[in-house]
Structures are given as structure tokens and as C-alpha cells.
Amino acid sequence: MTQEKPAGPAGEAQVDPRLLVREEGFAGYLGEFRRRIKGGELGPLPVIVGLVVIWLVFQTLNDRFLSPQNLSNLSVDIVATGLISVGIVFVLLLGEIDLSAGAVSGACAAVLAVLSVGQGWDPLLSMVVAVAVGGAMGLFHGFFFAKIGVPSFVVTLAGMLAWTGFQLWVLGPNGTINLPDGLISNLTDTYFAYVIAAYGLAAAATAGFLLVSLVGNARRRAAGVPSRTVGDIVFRTAVLAVVAFGVAYVLNLYRGLPLALLIFLAVVIVTDFVLRRTKYGRSIFAVGGNIEAARRAGINVAFIRMSVFAISGAFAALGGIFAASRISSASQATGQSNVLMMAIAAAVIGGTSLFGGRGSTYSALLGMLVIQSIASGMALQGVSNAIQFIVTGAVLLAAVVIDSVSRRSQKASGRA
Amino acid sequence: MAPVLALEGVSKRFGAVQALSDVSLEVNSGEVLALVGDNGAGKSTMIKVIAGVGPPDEGEIRWQGRPVTIHSPSEAQSLGIATVYQDLALCDNLDVVGNLFLGNEIRRLGVLDEVAMEKRSRDLLNTLSIKIPSVRIPVASLSGGQRQTVAISRSLLGEPKVVLLDEPTAALGVEQTAQVLDLVERLRAQGLGVILISHNMVDVKAVADRIAVLRLGRNNGVFDARSTTQEEIIAAITGATDNAVSRRRARSEEGE
Ligand SMILES: Nc1ncnc2c1ncn2[C@@H]1O[C@H](COP(=O)(O)OP(=O)(O)OP(=O)(O)O)[C@@H](O)[C@H]1O
Ligand SMILES: [Mg+2]
């Protein structure tokens, strides 16, 4: 290439003086950080800060909190509700709500138990059918919402009642079906104890991230669009490596890498990719941002809405399967009580906006970590259920306040 | 050379309202045609006829001399007609690149090709000399004028020959209006035909080559922008013999 300078931000010839390019190095990060705070683009920052604070507080109260055993259990406990929350994120991105997710998860857990235990079906087939049933339930909600025009919160409220009834009916008079040892209960009770498993995954994640960053950056440079500096990439990779190897180290101190966590992480990464890097995901953001613009751009709004509710139903079912697996039974209580609220709270606490168009499935992971950390820390302290509910409610309120305020400051710093 | 777009004898009725009757209009390549008229004169209806949103009841549309029918927005687009409606309909949560390519994303192996889209966005904005802080910030944080230029740029990605702008400066301040008018001039310099609707005579005089006046759904003259005064155009818009100003004068004379 015969450019006088690499096409880094500083090398552009036709730069507008007001162009927002980040300065190199630490000062640059600080400047961008300040701009983001002012513009209300906080991203996952509040939740990460919150998580660190929560961990420090509970660790000082009880030094068993950050023990490998507790952290390992925590990492499995987040999975069931976390998977439901992934589906909730999709719905929230549309600016809608799905109140049926808890009931769908319980109903599908019941379907799974009846098929695999009652009817003696193959467990894998039973799981596939249970997820398909969840997807169909979601599609049903989506149809009434997208085609008939019933508000989503009413449809899914109706669904919540109806599917809870369905769950009780499927379970029959006993109300509980125990799952024998086998594939289903192994979902949450399988640990890859070889040290190499967790470390290997951490190494693969780090290497994969580095590779993707470098290849992407090379393409950007070749195309002459602004690219990251090498230092920036190294810094990001290093942060990821510290987190990944730290988690692997802790998990290896107890029973190794939990299968359930592995599946949850894979789900989060794949769904995030779908949302950010595919036309389908972009369409979801567009519908959540401005439905008229989406329609004029030729996006099939009804299809997007129905498919998103189907996705939410399917993930609710998957969450129900993991919930049943965790306690080796499906009962009338599966998916009931606060499961729905936790799933919605996790998504919002993790940084997905209730107003639509902003968020990511990583918020399901981060938000569940916050909620489950609070639950686990307070359980260690012997705090009553009553207080736990109150504290979790307060955290949810704080998250919604941050969401609303950042939305307001976005508006303020937006259209001048 | 035949005008790139010509309409002849166009009529359009909504129930009891004859929104357009026997209207003719033509625009050439490299020309800005202003379409003016009072509220309800039928300007937006005219735009909708051309854009394929509301086909006419009667009349002929000729594209580069050849008679055509335009029954849908996509037919208009494939001919080379781009429309920017008054409500811009941008997605505030998406960045500039995302908005420019919404519905027409460039993909590579099924995955969004962000690099290619960003490059084309930057090239497009550069050729139009559009200055925005970054193509990677959400459009929510752009000013009204910048949003308008993004909406206009979006319509240019399909490489149209005619651009229809419905009141592009209606909600803008002085500086931002100037930005948009600059952009309109650049479109003309690139050989596009531009139809510009505006209520602001100063803007119209500033950029238009010709000014077509609609009054109560009918043609009320086409004027050369340079040799016509503002008063003459306003007279045509309001109806020279029966306008608010002359009525007022008449009233005050009676009162004496
Ligand atoms: N969809 C419709 N149904 C019925 N009447 C309509 C419809 N669209 C426009 N009209 C009527 O047609 C006439 C012309 O409207 P149009 O919107 O074209 O005016 P305009 O020149 O764009 O006015 P403005 O400057 O206020 O935008 C008006 O009397 C209006 O009430
Ligand atoms: Mg109008």
C-alpha cells in the first residue's frame, strides 16, 4: 500500500474536525468513557460494577461466598432462569414483554417428564419435543399479537394462566414426576473434571477472540475504514484472557467445567451473534427502534414479531428442562412463583432496555449473575426469603431507573 | 432531450375531494424543480403518485420519454425514483450505517458485512460532502439536519435518477437548512433530477431552477426561479386576485 500513513484514525485525509475519533492510549479510553456516560450509552458497565460490589460485600460478610464450591454452584444455578431470560431479551428488543415465559417453562418441563418417564420416550427426543412445544406456544402468542393486534402483555398474560393450567393437567393428580438418572438429570450434573477442559475452553475462547479481532481489523484496514490499534486489541484480549482463565481456575478447584454452564455460554454467544451480525437480528433491532422505518425498509414486521415470540417460548422451554434437571423432577412448582420475574429482571439488570431496540443476550448472563449472587450471598448469611425478595426488587428498580435515565440523557444529547 | 420524468393530465380523487385535477409536471436531469402551494394544494398527493404509493386515477407518467405505470413503491424504486418523506422514519437505535443499509444489508456468507457497508457509507457521505461525527453513532445523537441528510443519503444508495423531497427543511434551523440545501445542490451537480416541496420561499428561490405552483389541485403556472420575484410566486400560490393580502387591503379601503 502506498498510503503515507496507515489508515488509523489520525491518518485520514478528509477528516471532519468534529469527528469523534478516540485518542490513542489511556487518555483515549477515558475520553470515550466520558462521552458515553454523557450520551447515556452505558452498556454493561453499571452491571459489572454492581457485580463486583456485590461480590466484595458478600465476601467480607462471609468468606465462603467466593469459595470454588459456591461459585461453581452459582454458575449452574443461573442456567435455567438464564436461558428463559435469553428469550426475554429477544422480546424486550422488540419493546414488548412476555409474561408467559415462566408458565411455558413449567408446562414444557411437565411435557418432558410425561413423555420421557410416563410414556418411556427417548430422553433426547422428549427434550426436542418439549422445546418444540414451547416454540409453538410462543408462536401462538406471537400470532395474536402480530396478526390480530392484541397487546403482547395481555396475550402472554392469558398464556401464563392457560399454560399453568395445562401444566397441572399434564402432571396429573400426583403433581410431581421424578426424573431418573440419565441424560436429562445429567444436563446439570455433568462436570468435565479434567483440568484441561476448562483451561482448554478458556484458551480456545481467548485465541478465537484474538483471531477474529485480527482478521476483522485486517479487513477494515484493507478497506480503509477506521480500525482498532494493536494495543487496543491486545488490551481487550488480555481482559478476556484474565476473566476466562480466572473462571477456569476457580471451576477446576471444585468439580471442573459444568456442562450446563458450557451450554448456557454457547447459547449466549450464538444468540448474540445472530442478533448483531445477521440480517434477521438487524431486523429485530429495527422493529424495536422504529416500526414505521422497518416497514418502509421492506422488513416483514409480522414475521419478525411472531418468530421472536416463538424464540422466547422455545428458550422458556429449554430453561424449564434445565430447571427440572437441576432438581431431577418436574412438578407443579416448576417455572412458577418468581421465575418469570427473575428472568425479566435479569435481562433488564444486565442492560437490556425495556423500551426496545437496545440490549444483548449477554445481559441475561450478567443479570442472572447479579440476581443469583444476591440470592446465594443472602442464603449464606441466613437472610430470610422475605428480605431476599425485597433486595432483588430494589436491584431491579435500580436497573430500570438506570435504563430510564440513560434513555433520557440519550434523548437530551440526541436531537438537538 | 426528453425530461427524465414527466406527468401529464394527472387527476386523483379521494372520495369527495378532487385532490389533483389535470396536473402536468416535468423535471429534467440536473435540475431542481420546486413544487409549492398552500396547505392542501395537493403537493404530497403528487409525490405519492410519483412514488407509487397512491397511483393516479387518470393521466400519464413518462419516464425518460417512455410511458410507464407506477403501481407500487418498489416499482418506483426500480425505475430510479427515490422518495424522502417528511417523517424521516429512521431507527434511532441503529447507527448511521445500519440506517443507510436497513433492508438492503450487504452480506458475506450470510453474515452482515459491516466493513463493506461502512466503507460504502463513508464513500457515499464523502461524495456528498456530508459531515457527521461518525458513521458508527446511533442516529438518535444526530441533529435534525444531520438526520435529514442521512435520510436523503439513504435514498441515494439505490443510485436513483430522480429524488423526491417532501418538505426536507420544514423543522430545521437556519444552519441546518443550509446544510440540506447544500446537499440538494450537490445532487443537482451530480445530474439527478430533484423535486423539492417547500413552504419556504427563501429556500425555494435559493436552490430551485424552476418553480411549479399548485393551487387547489390544479397547475397554477411554472416559473423560472431567477427571473421571478417572491411576490409573484406568492400571488400564484394564493391566487393573484383573491389572496389574503388583497382581501385585507379591500377591507381596509371599505372601512375608510
Ligand atoms: N388519503 C386521503 N384521503 C382523503 N383525502 C385526502 C387524502 N390525502 C389527501 N387528501 C386531500 O387531498 C388534498 C390535498 O392534500 P395534500 O396532502 O396533497 O396537500 P399538500 O399540498 O401536501 O398540503 P400540505 O402543504 O399541508 O402538506 C387535501 O384536501 C386533503 O385533505
Ligand atoms: Mg404535504
Side-chain angles (χ1 to χ4, degrees):
Chain A
M1 290 218 154
T2 51
Q3 281 169 323
E4 328 121 330
K5 268 185 173 184
E12 295 282 357
Q14 71 298 39
V15 182
D16 177 347
R18 294 165 303 176
L19 202 69
L20 299 176
V21 287
R22 200 170 63 212
E23 294 166 57
E24 313 251 330
F26 186 67
Y29 278 108
L30 216 66
E32 174 158 302
F33 179 68
R34 214 171 288 133
R35 181 175 66 76
R36 286 191 163 213
I37 299 251
K38 259 180 69 187
E41 308 164 44
L42 295 173
L45 197 74
V47 59
I48 290 174
V49 171
L51 195 59
V52 169
V53 171
I54 289 168
W55 283 19
L56 289 179
V57 168
F58 281 121
Q59 177 66 12
T60 46
L61 290 175
N62 186 331
D63 60 4
R64 282 213 316 273
F65 181 75
L66 290 182
S67 68
Q69 178 179 356
N70 196 42
L71 290 177
S72 177
N73 285 338
L74 192 86
S75 78
V76 179
D77 284 334
I78 61 172
V79 173
T81 313
L83 287 168
I84 301 174
S85 187
V86 167
I88 296 286
V89 168
F90 275 79
V91 176
L92 287 181
L93 283 176
L94 287 187
E96 302 297 334
I97 191 82
D98 184 351
L99 298 178
S100 72
V104 168
S105 77
C108 293
V111 167
L112 171 78
V114 166
L115 290 181
S116 66
V117 178
Q119 307 291 317
W121 285 26
D122 175 65
L124 187 63
L125 180 64
S126 310
M127 284 198 273
V128 171
V129 170
V131 170
V133 167
M137 289 170 169
L139 194 62
F140 185 76
H141 304 144
F143 173 80
F144 279 94
F145 166 56
K147 293 285 190 186
I148 314 286
V150 185
S152 62
F153 107 90
V154 181
V155 187
T156 55
L157 189 62
M160 175 167 99
L161 294 171
W163 306 129
T164 302
F166 178 74
Q167 175 182 4
L168 301 184
W169 177 69
V170 167
L171 285 170
N174 281 342
T176 303
I177 298 176
N178 289 320
L179 298 166
D181 281 350
L183 181 66
I184 298 172
S185 50
N186 283 347
L187 279 177
T188 51
D189 198 28
T190 300
Y191 291 78
F192 301 105
Y194 292 109
V195 170
I196 189 74
Y199 284 133
L201 186 68
T206 310
F209 178 81
L210 183 64
L211 192 73
V212 169
S213 303
L214 288 178
V215 169
N217 223 29
R219 279 199 70 217
R220 298 184 74 85
R221 221 174 299 123
V225 297
S227 50
R228 298 190 186 289
T229 61
V230 175
D232 195 359
I233 292 178
V234 169
F235 176 71
R236 283 160 186 268
T237 310
V239 170
L240 176 68
V242 167
V243 172
F245 280 94
V247 170
Y249 173 76
V250 171
L251 291 175
N252 277 336
L253 286 178
Y254 186 57
R255 291 175 66 185
L257 174 67
L259 173 65
L261 178 66
L262 182 65
I263 293 174
F264 184 36
L265 289 178
V267 163
V268 168
I269 291 170
V270 169
T271 49
D272 180 64
F273 182 85
V274 168
L275 284 174
R276 280 191 310 110
R277 303 303 301 273
T278 68
K279 191 178 166 77
Y280 175 70
R282 181 61 53 85
S283 304
I284 291 176
F285 276 95
V287 172
N290 184 338
I291 195 154
E292 189 52 36
R295 215 171 262 136
R296 281 194 205 154
I299 291 169
N300 185 342
V301 173
F303 167 77
I304 296 289
R305 287 175 156 176
M306 286 172 46
S307 62
V308 161
F309 275 88
I311 287 172
S312 176
F315 276 116
L318 197 60
I321 292 174
F322 276 80
S325 163
R326 188 76 172 135
I327 54 170
S328 293
S329 73
S331 73
Q332 295 179 341
T334 312
Q336 298 300 314
S337 157
N338 57 354
V339 170
L340 169 70
M341 283 305 139
M342 291 301 173
I344 296 176
V348 175
I349 290 171
T352 291
S353 173
L354 281 170
F355 304 101
R358 275 189 301 130
S360 114
T361 49
Y362 279 100
S363 53
L365 172 66
L366 291 171
M368 271 318 291
L369 278 176
V370 168
I371 290 178
Q372 200 61 47
S373 296
I374 294 172
S376 152
M378 292 200 292
L380 282 178
Q381 285 305 106
V383 176
S384 73
N385 243 352
I387 304 291
Q388 289 196 27
F389 271 114
I390 293 173
V391 171
T392 310
V395 171
L396 175 60
L397 182 64
V400 178
V401 167
I402 291 178
D403 181 28
S404 306
V405 169
S406 79
R407 185 179 144 90
R408 220 178 35 215
S409 63
Q410 255 179 355
K411 280 236 161 107
S413 74
R415 310 186 189 185
Chain B
M1 208 178 77
V4 58
L5 176 71
L7 290 90
E8 217 172 279
V10 169
S11 298
K12 174 88 184 172
R13 215 186 154 83
F14 296 106
V17 183
Q18 186 74 38
L20 296 175
S21 30
D22 197 20
V23 176
S24 299
L25 202 70
E26 55 182 57
V27 61
N28 299 297
S29 296
E31 177 190 56
V32 177
L33 174 74
L35 189 57
V36 300
D38 238 335
N39 292 117
K43 307 179 296 292
S44 298
T45 308
M46 196 73 188
I47 293 290
K48 285 175 186 157
V49 164
I50 302 172
V53 178
D57 301 332
E58 277 169 57
E60 191 181 58
I61 304 177
R62 282 195 308 276
W63 179 255
Q64 298 176 321
R66 183 167 50 85
V68 290
T69 52
I70 307 176
H71 290 298
S72 72
S74 62
E75 278 179 40
Q77 259 168 33
S78 59
L79 278 178
I81 299 171
T83 315
V84 181
Y85 296 94
Q86 187 172 347
D87 56 328
L88 301 176
L90 296 172
C91 287
D92 278 350
N93 57 328
L94 297 182
D95 61 18
V96 175
V97 177
N99 270 289
L100 287 178
F101 284 91
L102 189 62
N104 295 303
E105 292 88 355
I106 303 178
R107 279 179 288 176
R108 209 171 63 121
L109 309 173
V111 175
L112 298 184
D113 190 345
E114 294 287 352
V115 177
M117 287 194 277
E118 185 168 336
K119 181 169 165 49
R120 269 205 64 196
S121 303
R122 292 166 65 93
D123 290 349
L124 177 70
L125 298 182
N126 275 342
T127 52
L128 299 170
S129 306
I130 292 174
K131 298 261 197 295
I132 40 179
S134 157
V135 292
R136 283 300 180 192
I137 57 173
V139 296
S141 50
L142 297 181
S143 73
Q146 289 168 332
R147 294 165 62 84
Q148 184 64 254
T149 55
V150 169
I152 297 175
S153 313
R154 174 173 156 74
S155 74
L156 300 178
L157 274 175
E159 309 199 335
K161 296 196 173 65
V162 170
V163 182
L164 313 177
L165 304 174
D166 195 352
E167 305 203 24
T169 57
L172 302 184
V174 178
E175 172 70 21
Q176 310 205 337
T177 298
Q179 273 177 23
V180 172
L181 295 183
D182 282 351
L183 178 55
V184 169
E185 283 182 338
R186 262 175 258 125
L187 299 185
R188 167 172 59 198
Q190 293 186 3
L192 282 92
V194 180
I195 299 183
L196 169 78
I197 294 187
S198 178
H199 282 289
N200 186 327
M201 286 311 121
V202 181
D203 296 356
V204 166
K205 288 276 291 176
V207 291
D209 300 298
R210 289 185 305 135
I211 301 171
V213 179
L214 283 184
R215 176 167 159 71
L216 304 176
R218 292 177 184 279
N219 281 117
N220 204 16
V222 178
F223 302 89
D224 181 74
R226 259 166 300 277
S227 59
T228 317
T229 65
Q230 209 157 305
E231 286 70 31
E232 286 173 289
I233 298 167
I234 291 175
I237 290 173
T238 53
T241 50
D242 174 33
N243 67 46
V245 180
S246 58
R247 266 203 312 274
R248 187 173 168 276
R249 192 176 304 137
R251 264 202 311 276
S252 58
E253 276 164 10
E254 272 168 27
E256 273 164 22

